[in-house]
């Protein structure tokens, strides 16, 4: 009897957190599962959400938030979702980097400042790639989409980023070397320094401006000869036509003169990351400098510039330019993410790989598009 009493007393003292949670098999239905989690939260019980697979957890949280939005229960459900997803830690931030528009919408509904800010930084850096995924077709922001206030916030951050990039790019083009007397280098006082500046500005211009497309030549059949229409003089002359232009001729002219394709936008974010990289071989490596000095001027059989001593001096000039440029682009290459972007570097040495876009725009406290 004593043993039975002791066992009974020990069982009664167990907390409810230690008791096994039995899941109703009927909750395999997603709708029933969502309602079960909703009422669990209403009665201050933790929801039964996937704690191992972040993709499944995202789907369950998204469905639960949609249901809570129908019952105007987002202020109650949102903190639970925020707490559950943040337990994934670094896995969550890597997932946000893969699908920033999706987590931007989820972070907004859950009123999660960390998730929303993290996703916003990615979306702004990739803009306008994420616009089709976050802009609501409903002007009132209905459904599982973000309202217009979030779109306005993104566009403001994009404008701020573009202004910053313009200022940094201007400073990079104005970057110059000086002699020991403090004079700007020119072909007279420092020829190698002037060559280094010329090469730097040429590289910067080629990597920050769209590709220049040539003018297409007119290759219409009307300007060429046609077989089988020879005139008595032996020249091939197209036969004359009387009357107006047919619909087929109009279509042919439209095909002959297509509008030029728009220029491909330059990924300047990757260029700025290359400039800010700690690896000196990220751009303008030694082999390229050597080839540059070996270029033969017109009318000369050999290069009058390339020597081993000049190559070493030229490398020092370029390194000096790189060091100054690296300091200039620091406002653009800073990381405002919770994610450690070093894990995304392709070479592991800061060689300009990684995300390929800028992550320097932070969502401040006053930028949050909901009442805190």
């Amino acid at each position: 009897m004593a043993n039975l009493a002791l066992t009974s007393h020990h069982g009664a003292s167990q907390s409810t957190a230690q008791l096994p949670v039995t899941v109703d098999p009927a909750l395999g239905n997603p709708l029933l599962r969502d309602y079960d989690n909703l009422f669990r939260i209403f009665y201050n019980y933790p929801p039964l959400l996937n704690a191992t697979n972040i993709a499944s957890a995202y789907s369950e949280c998204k469905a639960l938030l949609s249901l809570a939005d129908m019952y105007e229960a987002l202020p109650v459900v949102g903190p639970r979702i925020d707490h559950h997803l943040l337990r994934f830690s670094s896995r969550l931030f890597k997932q946000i980097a893969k699908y920033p528009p999706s987590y931007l919408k989820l972070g907004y509904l859950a009123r999660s400042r960390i998730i929303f800010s993290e996703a916003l930084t990615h979306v702004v850096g990739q803009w306008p790639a994420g616009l089709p995924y976050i802009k609501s077709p409903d002007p009132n922001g209905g459904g599982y989409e973000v309202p217009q206030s979030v779109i306005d916030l993104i566009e403001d951050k994009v404008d701020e980023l573009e202004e910053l990039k313009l200022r940094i790019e201007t400073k990079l083009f104005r970057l110059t070397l000086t002699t020991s007397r403090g004079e700007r280098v020119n072909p007279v006082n420092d020829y190698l320094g002037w060559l280094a500046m010329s090469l730097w500005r040429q590289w910067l211009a080629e990597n920050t401006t769209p590709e220049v497309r040539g003018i297409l030549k007119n290759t219409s059949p009307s300007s060429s000869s046609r077989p089988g229409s020879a005139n008595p003089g032996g020249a091939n002359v197209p036969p004359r036509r009387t009357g107006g232009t047919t619909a087929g001729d109009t279509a042919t002219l439209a095909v002959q003169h297509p509008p030029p394709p728009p220029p491909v936008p330059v990924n300047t974010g990757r260029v700025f990351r290359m400039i800010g990289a700690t690896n000196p071989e990220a751009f303008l490596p030694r082999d390229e400098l050597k080839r540059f000095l070996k270029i033969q001027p017109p009318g000369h059989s050999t290069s009058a510039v390339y020597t081993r001593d000049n190559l070493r001096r030229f490398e020092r000039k370029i390194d000096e330019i790189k060091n100054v440029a690296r300091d200039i682009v620091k406002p653009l290459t800073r990381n405002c993410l919770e994610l450690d972007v070093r894990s995304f570097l392709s070479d592991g040495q800061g060689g300009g790989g990684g995300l390929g876009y800028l992550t320097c725009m932070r969502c401040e406290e006053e930028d949050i598009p909901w009442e805190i």
Side-chain angles (χ1 to χ4, degrees):
M1 294 295 293
N3 290 336
L4 291 176
L6 181 61
T7 304
S8 176
H9 176 74
H10 178 71
S13 64
Q14 287 183 337
S15 64
T16 57
Q18 295 174 334
L19 294 177
V21 179
T22 58
V23 181
D24 191 345
L27 297 182
N29 186 313
L31 183 60
L32 295 180
R33 178 202 63 204
D34 296 337
Y35 271 101
D36 178 72
N37 284 329
L38 182 65
F39 285 107
R40 281 176 175 271
I41 295 174
F42 284 167
Y43 288 95
N44 203 23
Y45 283 93
L48 299 179
L49 300 170
N50 196 306
T52 56
N53 189 324
I54 189 170
S56 300
Y58 166 80
S59 300
E60 294 174 1
C61 292
K62 174 183 174 181
L64 181 55
L65 285 171
S66 299
L67 185 63
D69 192 18
M70 293 173 54
Y71 292 96
E72 299 183 356
L74 288 178
V76 179
V77 176
R80 290 282 191 173
I81 299 297
D82 183 33
H83 173 73
H84 179 77
L85 289 178
L86 289 179
R87 292 166 62 186
F88 285 95
S89 187
S90 60
R91 284 193 292 165
L92 170 65
F93 300 132
K94 289 182 179 179
Q95 197 75 357
I96 294 176
K98 293 180 181 179
Y99 311 103
S102 300
Y103 279 91
L104 182 77
K105 294 182 286 188
L106 185 141
Y108 177 80
L109 286 181
R111 300 299 190 264
S112 171
R113 180 184 174 185
I114 295 179
I115 296 177
F116 181 83
S117 301
E118 187 84 357
L120 180 70
T121 301
H122 287 288
V123 170
V124 171
Q126 298 175 1
W127 195 258
L131 179 60
Y133 303 98
I134 62 177
K135 191 171 185 179
S136 173
D138 183 2
N140 297 323
Y144 193 70
E145 300 289 345
V146 294
Q148 186 62 36
S149 60
V150 178
I151 303 295
D152 295 339
L153 172 62
I154 295 173
E155 292 176 346
D156 290 342
K157 291 295 181 180
V158 170
D159 292 340
E160 184 180 343
L161 177 60
E162 291 299 324
E163 292 176 1
L164 179 60
K165 288 164 62 176
L166 181 59
R167 292 198 300 268
I168 297 298
E169 192 172 331
T170 302
K171 290 181 179 180
L172 291 175
F173 271 106
R174 291 181 177 178
L175 187 155
T176 186
L177 296 177
T178 57
T179 63
S180 57
R181 298 180 179 180
E183 301 174 349
R184 292 185 177 182
V185 296
N186 57 59
V188 177
N189 57 21
D190 188 354
Y191 185 67
L192 279 180
W194 177 76
L195 283 180
M197 290 304 310
S198 301
L199 178 60
W200 156 253
R201 287 171 179 164
Q202 176 68 21
W203 179 89
L204 185 62
E206 289 181 352
N207 286 274
T208 56
T209 54
E211 180 183 359
V212 179
R213 298 182 181 273
I215 301 176
L216 298 177
K217 295 182 179 180
N218 185 10
T219 58
S220 59
S222 60
S223 61
S224 60
S225 60
R226 297 183 183 180
S229 58
N231 63 352
N236 291 333
V237 180
R240 295 183 179 180
R241 290 186 180 181
T242 58
T245 304
T246 63
D249 295 335
T250 305
T252 303
L253 291 175
V255 173
Q256 291 171 0
H257 303 283
V264 180
V266 180
N267 185 4
T268 55
R270 192 172 189 85
V271 176
F272 290 130
R273 285 194 179 277
M274 289 173 58
I275 296 174
T278 56
N279 182 9
E281 296 293 309
F283 67 100
L284 293 179
R286 186 176 188 273
D287 293 340
E288 188 171 345
L289 303 183
K290 189 175 182 179
R291 287 194 301 268
F292 178 77
L293 289 183
K294 284 185 175 182
I295 295 176
Q296 298 179 3
H300 295 75
S301 58
T302 58
S303 174
V305 179
Y306 176 75
T307 62
R308 290 186 177 181
D309 183 58
N310 281 348
L311 178 59
R312 286 192 295 268
R313 291 173 55 197
F314 191 68
E315 286 180 326
R316 288 196 296 267
K317 299 289 184 182
I318 292 294
D319 288 341
E320 185 178 347
I321 294 174
K322 289 181 179 180
N323 291 333
V324 177
R326 188 179 301 116
D327 292 335
I328 292 177
V329 300
K330 279 184 178 179
L332 285 174
T333 56
R334 63 176 181 169
N335 180 32
C336 294
L337 297 172
E338 298 289 340
L339 175 70
D340 185 6
V341 295
R342 291 176 298 179
S343 60
F344 282 81
L345 295 178
S346 58
D347 53 10
Q349 299 176 354
L355 294 176
Y357 52 88
L358 301 176
T359 57
C360 58
M361 287 292 104
R362 186 190 303 274
C363 185
E364 304 293 346
E365 187 80 24
E366 60 272 11
D367 297 329
I368 299 297
W370 62 78
E371 295 182 1
I372 300 178

